[in-house]
Amino acid sequence: MPQDDNPPKPEPVPFFQRMLDNPFLLLFIGVVVPTVFYILWGIMEIATIPVAP
Amino acid sequence: MTSFLPPSERIWWKVPVGKQELVWIGIALVWCLFMFFMMPYWHLYGKQNLSNEAYQTTPAKFQARVDAMVEQFKVGEEAGMPVVRPPAGSDVYMLGRLWQWYPILELQKDQSYRLHLSSMDWQHGFSLQPVNINLQIVPGYEMVLTVTPDQAGEFAVVCNEFCGIGHHTMLGKISVMEN
Amino acid sequence: MARFRVCPDAGFYFDKSAESLMKVNAVAGVVSLLVAGIMAVGVILTRWQEVHLLPADLFYQALTLHGINALIFWIIFFEIAILYFASSTLLRCRLAAPRWAWFGFLLMVIGAVMNNVAVFQGKSSVMMTSYAPMQAEPHFYLGLILFAVGALIGCFVFLGTLVLAKDDKTYEGSVPLVTFGALTACIIAVFTIASGAIILIPTYLWSIGYINHIDAEMYRLVWWGMGHSSQQINVAAHVSIWYLLAGILFGARPMSEKVSRGAFLLYILFLQLASAHHILVDPGISSEWKVFNTSYAMYLAVLASMIHGLTVPGSMEVAQRAKGLTKGLFEWLRKAPWSNPVFSGFFFSLIIFGFIGGITGVVMGTEQINLIIHNTIYVPAHFHATVAVGTTLAFMALTYLLIPVLFRRELFLPQIAKLQPYVFSAGMTLMILFMLGAGTLGVSRRHWDMDFTGAALSFEYPGTAYVMMAIAGIGGVLAIVGGAMYVIVTVGSLVLGKKLDASAGLLQSFGLSLSPGNYNVEIAEPLLMAPKLTVEEHGSAGFEAPGTFVLAMALLVCFVVYYFINWDYLASVWPLS
């Protein structure tokens, strides 16, 4: 229970905590990271396999 | 109580982390990094690596290569399949199809070969037994790797990717001769 | 109109529509698990070569049904129930868009039934992976697509409920850790379903003849974005359940919110990359891609799992020590409620997931070591440790908690329930260990006949491989008995269990709400922040949970030793380059 009688200026929430409290930001990075590193990079790998001579 | 309640501190990010957790995170991180660098290390100093050399191909194109090798180096027949003895150091081919590995190869011990693998139809699994080397064989792609058999004897190629009702009959063979 | 009921035992606030949706999703999950379990009989008794129960066609059919029902339908139905619990119930918030949630559930049921019908009809025995260019009937793929769309709706209902709870200020501060873990599962689910859509929709069009070619390697890549990530939803979900059960059983509080949430963040970022574990011996993909993805970006998601492995039992130890169980390293553990299936299920899930599932997973996911493991029966052994014990047993433990709390029934045959986690874990562990051994000897997965009857050539596995598969068979049968005990207790409780509320009838067990009088709270009391920590240190030398630390070091030693054994084994096979 915060017992502040008059909290004039609550301590600002640190950046990382704000990030972890933001579900849509997390959703965004959680989809983008695997899409870029796994799916897109992987598709490029397959697409650039040379044709057999 | 608190795993299903909001954290007891409004700014929980700044609550100091206990010593025990810090020590464990440190140890675990070192181990994780070690395991990570073990893979590139093995590429440089280990002997079992895939080259990842591969080509896009077609069943017809790959079959033509296999047939050319069979015609040139065939030395006999076994179980209705040609036995092929290509020269050491050469390109050797094996194809997977419903439900056989074709042809039978005869290789020499301690010699290197460029082994080309592909599938004519569905996906197959190249599982060399009892050595236990396992590769995924995908139609439309030709995989190339340099193998150096270091044991003599007869080895089976089991198909270990499900390929329909006859999957369990799909066996191939590689014989390795002493020099 | 009043919409909440307060559970008199646990104090949870159940929103009327969320309550019904949790029930129907959980029940649909258990039905899927039942189908999977029945099929498991056929699978394990066929792989036990001396019994060799089914002919080849029925074996592959049973294996397909077993895989899809256990790995997709059971867990995802149950996870949707968990998402609604972690949002609506834990945050004391009404469920956002209940009509959409019902629509999603309907799609999931239709999809699951359609897919099962396709396989039962016999022309879609293509395994869970349905690797193109092997083709199933169109409704096999369509069923999966409908199921996935339904699950996606469930994810968005969860996210919507989080927004609603924040706007209505139903809670103070940040969401609880369990809800954060559920969010992690939801995020991974969105990626999973997106990958599924990218690959299954074209595959469906191909099966009806609209597209004429599906590239087999592209299929593998994207399919595993779904197939493996779907199992990572489980990891996030069951870790959250571990935290929840430790909290409910022991009043445990996370050792550090920052550390536990940071570990979940590492899951969000990197866990899905492990889909690459299936692509390590595929043609033509560079080692850079393989090494980066298979290691979840330098094993940072493994680090996260190792952190949870310390903090979950650690939080429990701290709570137990605060109650005075401070003797030696392990009094807190010895005096845990071992006869409560909620605890034993949770704890076996944790231990077997970590010691067997985790270690084998990392070892086989090492780029080069995968050469000696890919597609051998080692692989299903690994994922039975992670999914069949780690996830499934955690969900079973949660079920024993939910039957009184959510369904308002007493456990039916509590003695059976008490034994169930022991039987199930013992059977699974036996099966897993011997399947790992057989896989090391090269026995292949998804294979009807170790004798290769009818093959033109011949090959014989060593006798030990047969012995190992037989012992695995015995373990599998025991595990199925344990699974059956779970279904008997669960279904028995829902139908015959003593009612804890007069209106908890049969229909109420399957989704109908209790009598209106129960829902007498219009606006829930806001959820306050947890009370501040007042207990003093009970461990030694700044180590609050020394017993857990010893367990963690034991895990690390097993991990290191086993890791090098496998490198040594790899070094003995033919040189390849």
Side-chain angles (χ1 to χ4, degrees):
Chain A
M1 294 311 115
Q3 303 257 326
D4 317 355
D5 349 60
N6 57 338
K9 234 189 209 168
E11 196 184 346
V13 178
F15 168 78
F16 275 105
Q17 181 170 337
R18 267 186 296 154
M19 180 172 96
L20 291 172
D21 280 345
N22 184 342
F24 292 95
L25 177 65
L26 294 176
L27 175 65
F28 178 75
I29 58 178
V31 172
V32 166
V33 169
T35 303
V36 170
F37 286 109
Y38 177 83
I39 302 265
L40 293 180
W41 185 6
I43 287 176
M44 275 166 49
E45 290 279 338
I46 298 173
T48 53
I49 295 175
V51 175
Chain B
M1 251 344 252
T2 62
S3 62
F4 52 94
L5 294 179
S8 56
E9 305 287 334
R10 195 179 65 90
I11 312 272
W12 45 262
W13 184 261
K14 291 202 173 159
V15 175
V17 177
K19 185 167 147 196
Q20 171 167 359
E21 284 160 286
L22 289 176
V23 170
W24 176 246
I25 293 170
I27 295 172
L29 183 63
V30 168
W31 174 238
C32 288
L33 292 177
F34 177 85
M35 290 195 297
F36 177 76
F37 287 107
M38 194 64 199
M39 292 188 281
Y41 169 84
W42 199 262
H43 273 286
L44 294 174
Y45 301 105
K47 290 210 180 100
Q48 292 78 14
N49 287 292
L50 291 180
S51 67
N52 297 317
E53 180 181 351
Y55 300 96
Q56 300 191 33
T57 183
T58 62
K61 208 161 158 184
F62 193 76
Q63 172 101 50
R65 302 262 187 130
V66 177
D67 289 344
M69 175 192 71
V70 170
E71 191 160 323
Q72 207 178 350
F73 302 114
K74 180 173 166 179
V75 291
E77 272 198 19
E78 187 184 333
M81 242 196 290
V83 178
V84 181
R85 190 186 298 155
S90 67
D91 285 82
V92 299
Y93 295 82
M94 184 177 268
L95 62 81
R97 64 185 167 206
L98 305 172
W99 286 287
Q100 59 181 199
W101 292 106
Y102 176 94
I104 294 172
L105 297 175
E106 267 189 27
L107 308 179
Q108 283 193 336
K109 185 168 173 256
D110 296 327
Q111 299 292 326
S112 296
Y113 298 83
R114 272 168 57 82
L115 176 61
H116 299 241
L117 297 161
S118 188
S119 163
M120 297 294 101
D121 34 56
W122 290 350
Q123 298 191 25
H124 296 289
F126 174 98
S127 177
L128 186 73
Q129 293 300 337
V131 185
N132 205 11
I133 291 172
N134 304 279
L135 304 165
Q136 188 75 24
I137 307 305
V138 180
Y141 293 89
E142 176 179 344
M143 183 181 218
V144 188
L145 63 156
T146 304
V147 321
T148 315
D150 59 3
Q151 300 157 283
E154 296 203 336
F155 299 91
V157 182
V158 174
C159 178
N160 71 2
E161 185 56 78
F162 171 66
C163 58
I165 194 72
H167 172 44
H168 65 279
T169 64
M170 184 163 169
L171 268 186
K173 185 167 157 183
I174 295 179
S175 310
V176 180
M177 311 301 204
E178 289 283 357
N179 288 341
Chain C
M1 197 185 76
R3 50 166 66 247
F4 290 102
R5 139 178 114 70
V6 185
C7 171
D9 308 322
F12 289 127
Y13 282 68
F14 285 107
D15 167 66
K16 203 166 169 181
S17 46
E19 184 186 24
S20 295
L21 279 155
M22 281 182 243
K23 286 179 181 171
V24 291
N25 276 287
V27 169
V30 173
V31 172
S32 313
L33 182 66
L34 176 63
V35 177
I38 293 170
M39 293 304 142
V41 179
V43 173
I44 194 72
L45 289 181
T46 307
R47 294 290 336 229
W48 182 351
Q49 191 70 22
E50 286 75 19
V51 181
H52 211 54
L53 181 71
L54 297 179
D57 55 341
L58 289 182
F59 169 74
Y60 292 126
Q61 199 177 1
L63 187 52
T64 306
L65 287 164
H66 174 66
I68 296 182
N69 280 293
L71 290 169
I72 304 278
F73 299 147
W74 143 247
I75 53 160
I76 292 184
F77 272 125
F78 207 92
E79 276 153 4
I80 296 291
I82 290 174
L83 288 187
Y84 295 162
F85 179 84
S87 53
S88 167
T89 309
L90 289 184
L91 297 179
R92 302 186 178 176
C93 178
R94 67 192 165 87
L95 193 72
R99 280 163 198 273
W100 276 100
W102 279 107
F103 178 61
F105 174 70
L106 195 68
L107 284 181
M108 288 169 73
V109 171
I110 294 172
V113 170
M114 188 184 283
N115 178 277
N116 268 284
V117 166
V119 184
F120 269 110
Q121 285 170 333
K123 286 187 189 159
S124 301
S125 301
V126 292
M127 304 292 125
M128 179 179 124
T129 46
S130 56
Y131 282 141
M134 181 189 287
Q135 200 174 56
E137 301 249 26
H139 51 304
F140 175 93
Y141 306 108
L142 189 59
L144 287 177
I145 293 168
L146 293 178
F147 183 85
V149 172
L152 190 62
I153 292 173
C155 290
F156 281 103
V157 169
F158 168 81
L159 290 168
T161 308
L162 292 188
V163 172
L164 208 58
K166 188 158 199 167
D167 288 351
D168 292 357
K169 300 203 170 51
T170 67
Y171 64 96
E172 267 189 330
S174 303
V175 296
L177 179 61
V178 174
T179 308
F180 189 75
L183 171 64
T184 304
C186 167
I187 291 169
I188 298 175
V190 171
F191 172 75
T192 301
I193 294 167
S195 307
I198 296 172
I199 198 62
L200 287 175
I201 292 171
T203 309
Y204 169 68
L205 295 175
W206 167 68
S207 72
I208 58 173
Y210 190 76
I211 290 179
N212 60 18
H213 180 68
I214 292 283
D215 184 276
E217 191 58 44
M218 291 285 190
Y219 180 94
R220 289 178 60 76
L221 177 86
V222 184
W223 193 91
W224 279 114
M226 175 186 77
H228 199 95
S229 303
S230 60
Q231 309 312 311
Q232 313 290 25
I233 309 171
N234 300 343
V235 174
H238 75 228
V239 171
S240 312
I241 297 306
W242 292 345
Y243 279 114
L244 175 73
L245 294 181
I248 290 176
L249 289 165
F250 301 100
R253 56 168 68 222
M255 296 172 80
S256 156
E257 294 280 352
K258 180 177 169 179
V259 168
S260 294
R261 286 175 204 240
F264 276 124
L265 176 64
L266 291 177
Y267 278 176
I268 293 173
L269 287 167
F270 303 123
L271 199 55
Q272 297 110 307
L273 302 182
S275 307
H277 287 181
H278 302 267
I279 315 287
L280 295 177
V281 294
D282 277 32
I285 297 177
S286 70
S287 288
E288 289 82 357
W289 184 93
K290 289 176 177 173
V291 167
F292 179 81
N293 282 288
T294 197
S295 69
Y296 321 74
M298 311 224 274
Y299 289 110
L300 291 179
V302 173
L303 177 67
S305 287
M306 291 172 80
I307 291 172
H308 292 307
L310 180 86
T311 58
V312 172
S315 68
M316 171 187 153
E317 179 175 351
V318 171
Q320 289 278 77
R321 283 179 184 273
K323 285 179 202 143
L325 300 173
T326 51
K327 226 182 283 163
L329 279 176
F330 292 112
E331 192 191 19
W332 61 277
L333 186 57
R334 268 202 326 277
K335 297 210 173 144
W338 288 100
S339 58
N340 178 353
V342 181
F343 171 73
S344 58
F346 146 66
F347 201 75
F348 293 149
S349 153
L350 173 77
I351 291 293
I352 296 172
F353 178 83
F355 275 83
I356 309 181
I359 292 178
T360 56
V362 176
V363 167
M364 72 197 267
T366 305
E367 189 203 0
Q368 294 94 340
I369 292 177
N370 194 255
L371 277 166
I372 54 175
I373 291 176
H374 179 75
N375 271 355
T376 66
I377 203 156
Y378 189 104
V379 180
H382 153 74
F383 70 69
H384 277 78
T386 55
V387 184
V389 185
T391 307
T392 298
L393 191 55
F395 289 0
M396 287 170 167
L398 180 65
T399 311
Y400 298 133
L401 183 87
L402 287 181
I403 285 172
V405 171
L406 175 63
F407 292 92
R408 301 305 290 144
R409 296 266 195 163
E410 262 182 23
L411 279 190
F412 175 69
L413 299 178
Q415 293 301 324
I416 302 273
K418 203 183 276 186
L419 284 175
Q420 191 271 336
Y422 292 86
V423 176
F424 188 74
S425 309
M428 277 292 178
T429 305
L430 193 64
M431 182 185 89
I432 291 162
L433 291 178
F434 284 90
M435 272 164 58
L436 291 172
T440 307
L441 294 174
V443 176
S444 111
R445 70 185 290 198
R446 295 174 167 180
H447 199 278
W448 175 65
D449 187 10
M450 280 172 81
D451 289 337
F452 307 99
T453 312
L457 297 160
S458 67
F459 172 66
E460 267 180 47
Y461 282 110
T464 23
Y466 284 85
V467 176
M468 287 196 179
M469 290 305 287
I471 301 174
I474 294 167
V477 170
L478 193 60
I480 291 165
V481 171
M485 286 161 75
Y486 168 76
V487 174
I488 289 167
V489 170
T490 303
V491 176
S493 303
L494 297 195
V495 176
L496 302 169
K498 189 171 156 230
K499 293 177 194 174
L500 292 169
D501 186 289
S503 64
L506 190 62
L507 292 176
Q508 279 70 23
S509 282
F510 295 91
L512 231 61
S513 24
L514 301 173
S515 65
N518 284 292
Y519 302 91
N520 49 12
V521 177
E522 200 154 334
I523 295 170
E525 296 269 321
L527 182 68
L528 302 179
M529 295 196 288
K532 285 204 201 310
L533 188 65
T534 50
V535 288
E536 65 279 23
E537 187 86 12
H538 285 282
S540 50
F543 277 42
E544 313 133 90
T548 301
F549 197 79
V550 171
L551 285 179
M553 290 309 290
L555 174 93
L556 186 69
V557 170
C558 295
F559 199 162
V560 173
V561 169
Y562 190 67
Y563 183 72
F564 283 108
I565 289 176
N566 276 276
W567 277 111
D568 190 51
Y569 177 22
L570 176 72
S572 74
V573 309
W574 294 4
L576 307 168
S577 59

